[in-house]
Amino acid sequence: SKSAERLRAFVEYFTHDIIALQEVNWKWWPTIIKNEDSIVNTRGYDWAGNQSAFRNKDGFKSADNDLYNLLLWNSEKYEEIKSGVFRLSDAGQGANKSRMCTYAILKNRATGVEILYASTHLCTRGDNATKKLNVQMANKLVERLTALAEGRMIIVGGDFNADTPSDTYKFMTGDGGFSDARRTASVR
């Protein structure tokens, strides 16, 4: 598909060390994980994600078509210390049900520094109830990641469905203690 080829070209061009993906379902399995020419097999990545989406990593269509998050990392540069997935909420309907976060604590083989990386996708924008649910999920996200990190730095990639004036954004960059990379990153 055109989307799969765009993703391959993007990964090839930038040679990422860490990739956080959202809205991944079973249809992406061959391109990202399974095929001989998959991103994982051709780029030397290891990965973590919700295994139920892929029937325990075998790539067959799951019982549902929910969207999941994956983390990929360069296995030559990073050693996996721990990885997993946790639910942010079972509330909501349709596209907003069963939102999750995938995380991996990775050790940089050259420096020995360990960082917790995460990939998540909060509810789609919508009514006030959905906006309130996003703030609740952001709270749970910060709470769980902070506990899992055990003092390590945390880097989260995701689709928060939150503009800068939203309560979710304000929480994440305020009481949540996270910085917005768009505002703090420097270009070299």
Side-chain angles (χ1 to χ4, degrees):
S1 81
K2 287 181 183 180
S3 295
E5 290 312 310
R6 282 194 300 265
L7 178 60
R8 279 185 214 280
F10 184 75
V11 171
E12 280 289 322
Y13 183 78
F14 288 104
T15 62
H16 304 82
D17 286 344
I18 311 288
I19 301 172
L21 297 171
Q22 298 81 43
E23 296 193 24
V24 178
N25 64 18
W26 62 272
K27 295 174 187 175
W28 283 96
W29 179 260
T31 300
I32 298 172
I33 308 292
K34 184 179 179 184
N35 288 354
E36 235 177 81
D37 66 343
S38 72
I39 292 169
V40 165
N41 290 325
T42 60
R43 302 299 299 168
Y45 287 113
D46 203 347
W47 67 281
N50 184 316
Q51 296 177 18
S52 69
F54 306 114
R55 297 257 177 156
N56 296 316
K57 296 189 179 183
D58 68 5
F60 293 105
K61 184 176 177 180
S62 62
D64 60 29
N65 287 322
D66 283 343
L67 304 173
Y68 299 93
N69 314 298
L70 292 181
L71 273 172
L72 287 75
W73 60 88
N74 181 327
S75 58
E76 289 182 12
K77 292 185 178 184
Y78 296 92
E79 171 187 351
E80 178 183 349
I81 303 302
K82 179 181 180 179
S83 67
V85 177
F86 59 88
R87 291 191 181 282
L88 297 172
S89 174
D90 287 322
Q93 298 294 319
N96 291 327
K97 70 178 189 174
S98 299
R99 294 298 173 146
M100 299 180 200
C101 177
T102 298
Y103 72 91
I105 298 171
L106 304 176
K107 181 179 180 178
N108 184 306
R109 294 182 191 276
T111 65
V113 173
E114 296 178 9
I115 296 176
L116 186 149
Y117 295 91
S119 178
T120 195
H121 188 183
L122 301 187
C123 292
T124 56
R125 297 176 194 172
D127 58 21
N128 287 333
T130 302
K131 291 174 185 175
K132 186 182 247 185
L133 181 59
N134 266 3
V135 174
Q136 291 169 353
M137 284 192 269
N139 272 280
K140 187 169 186 176
L141 177 71
V142 169
E143 178 184 299
R144 290 290 307 272
L145 291 178
T146 301
L148 288 163
E150 297 176 337
R152 295 173 182 96
M153 180 186 293
I154 302 168
I155 298 175
V156 182
D159 182 348
F160 288 84
N161 285 307
D163 294 332
T164 53
S166 73
D167 290 341
T168 301
Y169 181 88
K170 289 175 185 172
F171 168 76
M172 289 297 296
T173 59
D175 291 342
F178 284 82
S179 298
D180 181 344
R182 290 178 298 178
R183 297 186 189 283
T184 60
S186 63
V187 177
R188 294 182 189 204

